[in-house]
């Protein structure tokens, strides 16, 4: 049995940030990645996807974007190279093509079984990310086999879809981007809209992420959230990382000819029923952005930026209404359903009692009730930016300090 102080599971941004902070504290560790480094960025993203956040916001511990387009948005191959360069520069001890099969309590620590070896460790950090399994509604099982069904992590480009129209279910970042791309390819698209977070790409002459970073919105902690569980369920931002910097929202899509309907409520065979809740969901998205807008405006005024903001981009109000309706997919010429309905987290290999079937891994700021077992990279884990590339560094530093204290305590007991 091999031994190390800490095992990090996952070789994406969270795992690499954790490795850097563990190294800085002199903690012996290894990082396991089931396939290649940053595998999900390589194989579970569509061809045209770019980061939703500007390049300058891709900060990692002791690492910054060094290219000539800080306000641009990296493509997926560029993101992979970014992480590869970081792993090399920090000498991260990553073992690729190593799949974790089991993590269980053993002899005051943990036994970690991979497809290659068995390890003993005092600490484990689960850094597999917030989105490791697509969430598909139960109605998908009842749909006709003649309907092609796909999730964003399996989608690459419109050319892989069968002929005919496409129903995109979900209007967060992935849903609106894919609805736009597929419609632009010449296919008729219907977009089923549930809860969403509407944001403009630019506001007052600056990227909206710049404002969220500068005003401290993204640094808000779990203790500052009025409803933490609700905040953790917030859908991803309706943003697109386009080279031309355009915004994307329901108004733009509707103007281009995408049909907008309410939330997909139930379905069977070749028919899907949509709720008449568009007015509610679009109004809620409008009101939420209005609150953020007011906060940004107050910040700009307080810091003397009213004359330097480059002008305020006009943001048209978007309030849609739609009655309950049922669509016969075949009659409408719809041959594909793209379930952009978010992700869930599953850990079938984790044999430690820290799992809640509904909430996933139970933790407080990334620390579980099992001594030495932590999790990193979850939505609003410690701060609102915990799932962003920029956010994992601060969280990793916190967990590395916790792990150092844990190891010191274990050594003291052993002595």
């Amino acid at each position: 049995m091999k031994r190390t102080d800490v095992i990090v599971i996952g070789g994406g941004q969270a795992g690499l940030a954790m490795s850097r902070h563990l190294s800085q504290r002199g903690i012996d560790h290894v990082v396991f990645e089931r396939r290649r480094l940053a595998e999900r960025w390589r194989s579970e993203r569509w061809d045209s996807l770019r980061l939703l956040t500007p390049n300058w916001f891709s900060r990692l511990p002791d690492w910054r974007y060094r290219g000539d387009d800080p306000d641009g948005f990296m493509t997926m191959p560029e993101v992979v190279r970014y992480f590869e360069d970081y792993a090399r520069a920090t000498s991260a001890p990553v073992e690729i093509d190593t799949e974790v099969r089991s993590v269980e309590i053993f002899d005051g620590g943990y036994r970690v079984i991979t497809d290659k070896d068995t390890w003993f460790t005092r600490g484990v950090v689960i850094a597999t990310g917030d989105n490791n399994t697509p969430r598909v509604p139960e109605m998908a099982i009842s749909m006709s086999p003649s309907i092609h069904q796909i999730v964003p992590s399996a989608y690459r480009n419109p050319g892989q879809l069968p002929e005919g129209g496409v129903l995109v279910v979900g209007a967060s970042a992935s849903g609106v981007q894919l609805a736009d791309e597929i419609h632009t390819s010449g296919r008729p698209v219907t977009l089923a809209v549930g809860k969403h977070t509407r944001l403009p790409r630019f506001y007052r002459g600056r990227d909206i992420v710049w404002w969220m970073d500068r005003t401290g919105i993204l640094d808000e902690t779990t203790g500052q959230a009025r409803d933490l569980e609700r905040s953790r369920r917030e859908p991803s931002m309706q943003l697109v990382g386009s080279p031309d910097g355009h915004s994307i929202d329901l108004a733009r899509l509707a103007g281009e000819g995408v049909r907008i309907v309410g939330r997909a409520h139930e379905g069977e065979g070749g028919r899907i029923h949509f709720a008449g809740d568009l007015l509610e969901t679009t109004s809620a998205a409008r009101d939420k952005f209005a609150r953020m807008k007011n906060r940004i405006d107050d910040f700009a005024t307080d810091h003397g930026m009213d004359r330097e903001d480059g002008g305020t981009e006009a943001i048209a109000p978007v309030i849609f209404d739609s009655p309950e309706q049922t669509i016969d997919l075949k009659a409408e010429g719809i041959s594909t359903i793209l379930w952009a309905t978010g992700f869930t987290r599953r850990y079938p290999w984790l044999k430690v009692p820290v799992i809640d079937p509904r909430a996933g891994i139970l933790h407080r700021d990334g620390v579980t009730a099992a001594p030495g077992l932590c999790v990193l990279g979850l939505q609003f884990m410690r701060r609102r930016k915990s799932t962003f590339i920029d956010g994992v560094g601060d969280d990793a530093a916190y967990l590395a300090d916790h792990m150092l204290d844990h190891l010191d305590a274990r050594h003291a007991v052993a002595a």
Side-chain angles (χ1 to χ4, degrees):
M1 184 182 296
K2 296 185 175 182
R3 307 176 76 91
T4 188
D5 287 334
V6 176
I7 286 176
V8 180
I9 303 173
Q13 68 260 28
L16 294 176
M18 191 72 222
S19 174
R20 180 57 176 162
H21 279 295
L22 291 173
S23 293
Q24 289 176 336
R25 289 155 179 78
I27 298 175
D28 187 58
H29 67 283
V30 64
V31 180
F32 291 145
E33 171 53 54
R34 62 194 171 103
R35 283 183 256 169
R36 298 166 293 179
L37 187 78
E39 181 60 39
R40 286 200 174 93
W41 294 97
R42 298 174 186 266
S43 61
E44 298 183 12
R45 305 292 189 266
W46 60 91
D47 296 343
S48 66
L49 180 63
R50 291 174 177 263
L51 281 183
L52 303 184
T53 54
N55 295 334
W56 61 263
F57 196 64
S58 299
R59 299 172 293 210
L60 286 164
D62 302 315
W63 195 252
R64 298 290 186 274
Y65 175 79
R66 293 171 169 81
D68 57 4
D69 189 18
D71 295 318
F73 307 91
M74 281 187 272
T75 64
M76 293 304 98
E78 289 171 334
V79 171
V80 171
R81 287 196 297 272
Y82 188 71
F83 291 142
E84 288 178 331
D85 290 345
Y86 182 59
R88 281 193 295 268
T90 58
S91 300
V94 181
E95 295 201 8
I96 62 172
D97 297 319
T98 302
E99 183 177 356
V100 172
R101 298 284 176 80
S102 175
V103 175
E104 58 188 0
I105 297 172
F106 178 79
D107 193 25
Y110 298 95
R111 179 165 54 196
V112 179
I113 301 174
T114 75
D115 57 352
K116 296 178 178 178
D117 298 294
T118 297
W119 291 72
F120 174 77
T121 182
R122 296 293 183 187
V124 174
V125 179
I126 300 171
T128 53
D130 192 60
N131 305 324
N132 61 26
T133 304
R135 180 189 292 114
V136 178
E138 291 185 4
M139 74 178 83
I141 301 174
S142 303
M143 299 309 299
S144 168
S146 65
I147 302 296
H148 179 66
Q149 301 185 59
I150 192 170
V151 294
S153 58
Y155 170 87
R156 295 295 171 268
N157 56 66
Q160 78 182 104
L161 304 179
E163 294 296 323
V166 177
L167 168 64
V168 177
V169 180
S172 293
S174 296
V176 293
Q177 289 186 64
L178 294 179
D180 189 32
E181 174 172 289
I182 295 169
H183 176 77
T184 300
S185 75
R187 298 169 185 266
V189 172
T190 298
L191 177 62
V193 178
K195 292 181 180 180
H196 57 281
T197 303
R198 185 196 182 208
L199 293 177
R201 179 76 268 177
F202 288 91
Y203 182 67
R204 296 179 70 113
R206 297 182 185 273
D207 193 287
I208 192 66
V209 174
W210 186 92
W211 287 111
M212 294 174 73
D213 183 52
R214 186 60 63 91
T215 58
I217 291 173
L218 293 175
D219 281 312
E220 290 178 351
T221 65
T222 54
Q224 294 173 291
R226 288 182 293 181
D227 186 336
L228 179 57
E229 291 308 312
R230 181 176 180 179
S231 295
R232 284 176 168 166
R233 294 193 301 268
E234 284 291 327
S236 58
M237 300 179 291
Q238 262 184 4
L239 290 176
V240 57
S242 173
D244 66 8
H246 73 264
S247 296
I248 187 168
D249 59 21
L250 301 183
R252 177 188 176 96
L253 293 175
E256 293 173 349
V258 173
R259 178 170 58 171
I260 308 296
V261 297
R263 174 176 50 88
H265 181 59
E266 57 186 13
E268 185 176 6
R271 300 168 69 86
I272 291 188
H273 182 74
F274 301 92
D277 57 358
L278 263 180
L279 178 61
E280 176 186 348
T281 54
T282 54
S283 297
R286 176 205 60 187
D287 294 343
K288 184 173 182 179
F289 173 65
R291 291 191 294 271
M292 180 184 292
K293 172 183 174 295
N294 292 339
R295 181 167 174 177
I296 292 172
D297 291 343
D298 290 344
F299 178 89
T301 299
D302 292 344
H303 290 79
M305 302 174 67
D306 284 339
R307 296 182 180 180
E308 304 173 10
D309 60 26
T312 299
E313 179 180 333
I315 303 174
V318 179
I319 301 179
F320 285 87
D321 195 6
S322 177
E324 291 190 33
Q325 57 185 308
T326 298
I327 291 180
D328 184 316
L329 301 180
K330 183 176 181 180
E332 296 279 351
I334 296 173
S335 59
T336 298
I337 301 176
L338 198 160
W339 298 106
T341 42
F343 292 81
T344 187
R345 302 184 292 271
R346 293 178 182 168
Y347 310 94
W349 40 265
L350 183 58
K351 312 302 181 183
V352 183
V354 295
I355 297 287
D356 179 274
R358 184 182 63 85
I361 295 180
L362 298 172
H363 69 92
R364 182 171 182 176
D365 291 345
V367 178
T368 76
L373 179 63
C374 300
V375 63
L376 178 63
L378 302 186
Q379 184 162 339
F380 211 154
M381 191 190 85
R382 291 184 64 243
R383 301 179 187 276
R384 287 195 182 276
K385 65 179 182 180
S386 286
T387 49
F388 291 99
I389 296 173
D390 184 77
V392 293
D394 288 343
D395 290 352
Y398 172 81
L399 294 182
D401 286 339
H402 170 82
M403 198 64 72
L404 187 61
D405 290 341
H406 167 71
L407 294 172
D408 286 344
R410 295 299 303 172
H411 292 156
V413 169

